[in-house]
Amino acid sequence: MKAAMLAAVVVLAGAGGQQGKGLEIHWIDVEGGAATLIVAPSGESILMDCGWPDKRDAERIQKAAAAAGVKQIDHYLTSHWHIDHWGGVAELSGLLNIGTFYDHGFPDASAKDVDAKLKEAYLKACGGKNVVLKPGDSLPLKDKSLSVRILSGHGLVPGEKAGAAQIRKCAANPEHPAKPDDTSDNARSLGFVLSWGMFDFLDLGDLTWNVEHKLVCPENLTGKVDVYQVSHHGLAQSNSPALLRAVEPTVAVINNGATKGGEAAVYKLLKELPGLKDAWQVHRNVKTTPADNAPAELTANDEEKCQGAGLKLTVGPEGRSFTVEAPSKGTKREYASK
Ligand SMILES: [Zn+2]
């Protein structure tokens, strides 16, 4: 798999792709929501989630996109139907052209956590043409050097049929027992693994414990990755030890807010992972101690009242190495891919 991807990267460069321009990932600060912008070497763009309602987050996304040379969002994914992930969809679609809208599908009417007004705004923005992604699907990208494979959606993982139970009994992991059934839309989050050459990035939205567990037991369907966007803004309802140990990230990025996510228990689990070099944070968690937070130089925003600084990742040729930076701190660190 990796060899094939590597060959594709080399072919692209040889065919006159933008040599020297690597893959980029931008974590835009949406204050405890999510907005992750991915720019392929060809310039093709993917945005997972668009932050909270009102113009602040949409404008931050527009600004980050412009700085990255992105003129339109080619592929927009809503991980799940919570306001911190798709709240800004009407505002954003007024500021930037969006190509295709993807999601996990709307749950039945008994789901209480899907805002009817936001649903209306979303369907209006996409002209009713949203595309439902299922575990095992790949995003139809033009840039064939890149793959984005869907790992979770609507509570399922690859290989499962609709209606499969959220809790899977798995003898291989008795030390991480199931939690009570999560009936919220978090459990239905879309999640994906992106691969470019040797580089792999995992973003599971706000996926929670029981479905995480199905991803790694009895079989590890995520594989080991270089960079892990810490699920659910770093809340302990997600990020089960079973998942973190299977994924073995080199770098973790926590897209938390000053008072949301970035929980001490999750930071501790991350720091205990043997392969983890650094955890970066979009915000310092102002409710915990310095020991429970990433060092200041790896944290984009120190205070609750902030300028909305983000984090940026650039992947080098063939995905062999990658650099993470906090431009607000002038910090830049390079890591080798696995
Ligand atoms: Zn969230």
Side-chain angles (χ1 to χ4, degrees):
M1 179 73 184
K2 284 208 168 187
M5 291 302 300
L6 197 58
V9 172
V10 172
V11 167
L12 181 84
Q18 292 180 46
Q19 291 197 30
K21 184 163 167 56
L23 176 82
E24 289 178 6
I25 304 176
H26 301 261
W27 288 274
I28 299 159
D29 178 26
V30 291
E31 311 285 345
T36 305
L37 175 67
I38 298 161
V39 189
S42 60
E44 195 172 5
S45 60
I46 302 162
L47 178 69
M48 173 89 129
D49 297 324
C50 63
W52 301 87
D54 297 330
K55 62 182 184 179
R56 180 197 67 201
D57 294 349
E59 286 178 356
R60 286 183 182 178
I61 294 166
Q62 182 194 34
K63 198 173 153 196
V70 168
K71 295 190 177 65
Q72 70 154 31
I73 303 298
D74 297 309
H75 310 273
Y76 167 68
L77 287 75
T78 297
S79 66
H80 65 299
W81 309 119
H82 282 169
I83 195 165
D84 52 326
H85 293 258
W86 70 318
V89 74
E91 289 84 359
L92 184 66
S93 61
L95 294 177
L96 272 173
N97 279 335
I98 300 176
T100 309
F101 292 66
Y102 305 86
D103 53 63
H104 71 66
F106 285 101
D108 64 43
S110 65
K112 301 220 179 343
D113 51 354
V114 184
D115 184 285
K117 278 202 173 124
L118 276 178
K119 183 176 176 181
E120 199 183 313
Y122 177 79
L123 291 174
K124 190 175 166 206
C126 69
K129 291 181 182 158
N130 56 313
V131 175
V132 175
L133 291 170
K134 295 200 161 56
D137 287 351
S138 286
L139 212 57
L141 300 170
K142 281 191 188 139
D143 190 331
K144 301 298 178 201
S145 72
L146 186 70
S147 86
V148 172
R149 196 162 48 87
I150 305 301
L151 289 174
S152 63
H154 221 76
L156 304 173
V157 302
E160 284 189 317
K161 292 206 171 72
Q166 184 181 107
I167 296 169
R168 179 188 288 173
K169 286 200 176 75
C170 188
N173 256 329
E175 74 270 35
H176 305 300
K179 302 261 191 199
D181 232 23
D182 177 5
T183 56
S184 80
D185 209 55
N186 292 322
R188 292 187 282 268
S189 277
L190 275 183
F192 65 79
V193 64
L194 171 153
S195 301
W196 188 67
M198 288 173 65
F199 174 81
D200 299 290
F201 165 58
L202 183 65
D203 179 352
L204 300 177
D206 285 1
L207 197 67
T208 42
W209 187 284
N210 294 335
V211 186
E212 286 179 341
H213 196 231
K214 293 197 289 186
L215 276 176
V216 297
C217 196
E219 205 188 325
N220 181 359
L221 301 173
T222 66
K224 297 181 195 311
V225 304
D226 301 295
V227 178
Y228 171 57
Q229 176 176 309
V230 179
S231 296
H232 213 168
H233 324 284
L235 286 163
Q237 295 163 263
S238 302
N239 304 294
S240 73
L243 176 84
L244 297 186
R245 285 172 201 163
V247 166
E248 273 187 32
T250 304
V251 165
V253 175
I254 309 174
N255 60 349
N256 61 324
T259 57
K260 178 185 167 189
E263 291 187 343
V266 173
Y267 188 70
K268 183 170 179 288
L269 265 177
L270 290 167
K271 294 301 283 180
E272 286 169 0
L273 293 175
L276 193 95
K277 295 263 196 306
D278 285 316
W280 296 66
Q281 282 177 223
V282 173
H283 269 271
R284 176 173 71 92
N285 179 347
V286 299
K287 298 189 292 187
T288 55
T289 68
D292 299 322
N293 276 279
E297 67 268 26
L298 307 187
T299 305
N301 302 286
D302 295 318
E303 302 304 330
E304 196 162 1
K305 281 196 173 162
C306 69
Q307 299 298 313
L311 295 169
K312 179 183 176 185
L313 181 146
T314 310
V315 189
E318 299 170 5
R320 288 179 191 281
S321 65
F322 60 96
T323 303
V324 184
E325 27 181 331
S328 58
K329 300 290 178 69
T331 315
K332 208 177 207 182
R333 288 192 183 172
E334 193 177 355
Y335 308 89
S337 299
K338 287 194 182 80

